[in-house]
């Protein structure tokens, strides 16, 4: 089980990313538009740099929704490999069957 503070920090990043997504997208459109004057694009870069770091999507870490484990997480289930094996053995994951031969 991961520390509660680390899990809470990641949840805070997810919420902050969701709230700033539209603003980041609009600023990036201005920055990448080559038809706009350079001064206006520079102002957009400055505005983007002033946004909180944790509002960026790349700072979000995929974590297991049960244990909070940061590694070995399958996006499809949002679970770590250990929990997938445990839950599939108990037939609690729909669409997943543990093979045996």
């Amino acid at each position: 089980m991961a520390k509660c503070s680390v899990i809470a920090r990641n949840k805070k990043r997810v919420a902050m990313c969701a709230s700033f997504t539209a603003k980041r997208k609009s600023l990036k459109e201005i920055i990448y538009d080559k038809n706009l004057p350079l001064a206006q694009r520079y102002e957009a870069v400055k505005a983007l740099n002033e946004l909180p770091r944790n509002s960026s999507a790349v700072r979000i870490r995929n974590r297991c929704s049960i244990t909070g484990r940061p590694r070995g997480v399958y996006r499809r289930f949002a679970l770590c490999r250990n929990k997938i094996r445990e839950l599939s053995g108990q037939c609690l994951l729909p669409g997943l069957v543990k093979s045996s031969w």
Side-chain angles (χ1 to χ4, degrees), residues 27 31 39-51:
L27 287 172
I31 292 168
Q40 185 179 359
R41 291 171 54 201
Y42 181 71
E43 291 299 320
V45 169
K46 282 176 51 178
L48 186 65
N49 285 338
E50 289 175 1
L51 291 179

Side-chain angles (χ1 to χ4, degrees), residues 9-27:
R9 186 185 318 148
N10 200 48
K11 286 182 182 178
K12 180 181 169 186
R13 286 178 179 158
V14 170
M16 192 175 285
C17 178
S19 65
F20 281 95
T21 301
K23 188 166 189 174
R24 280 185 166 278
K25 186 176 180 182
S26 65
L27 287 172

Side-chain angles (χ1 to χ4, degrees), residues 6-92:
V6 177
I7 296 170
R9 186 185 318 148
N10 200 48
K11 286 182 182 178
K12 180 181 169 186
R13 286 178 179 158
V14 170
M16 192 175 285
C17 178
S19 65
F20 281 95
T21 301
K23 188 166 189 174
R24 280 185 166 278
K25 186 176 180 182
S26 65
L27 287 172
K28 285 186 179 186
E29 285 175 358
I30 293 170
I31 292 168
Y32 293 128
D33 188 5
K34 301 290 184 185
N35 298 326
L36 293 175
L38 196 59
Q40 185 179 359
R41 291 171 54 201
Y42 181 71
E43 291 299 320
V45 169
K46 282 176 51 178
L48 186 65
N49 285 338
E50 289 175 1
L51 291 179
R53 283 185 178 179
N54 285 336
S55 66
S56 176
V58 296
R59 291 179 66 97
I60 297 172
R61 179 79 173 159
N62 287 338
R63 291 189 170 269
C64 177
S65 59
I66 296 174
T67 61
R69 189 176 200 274
R71 297 185 180 202
V73 177
Y74 288 76
R75 290 182 184 176
R76 180 176 176 187
F77 302 106
L79 296 172
C80 63
R81 59 185 174 80
N82 306 335
K83 285 297 172 182
I84 287 178
R85 186 170 197 276
E86 181 182 313
L87 295 175
S88 64
Q90 298 171 1
C91 298
L92 294 175

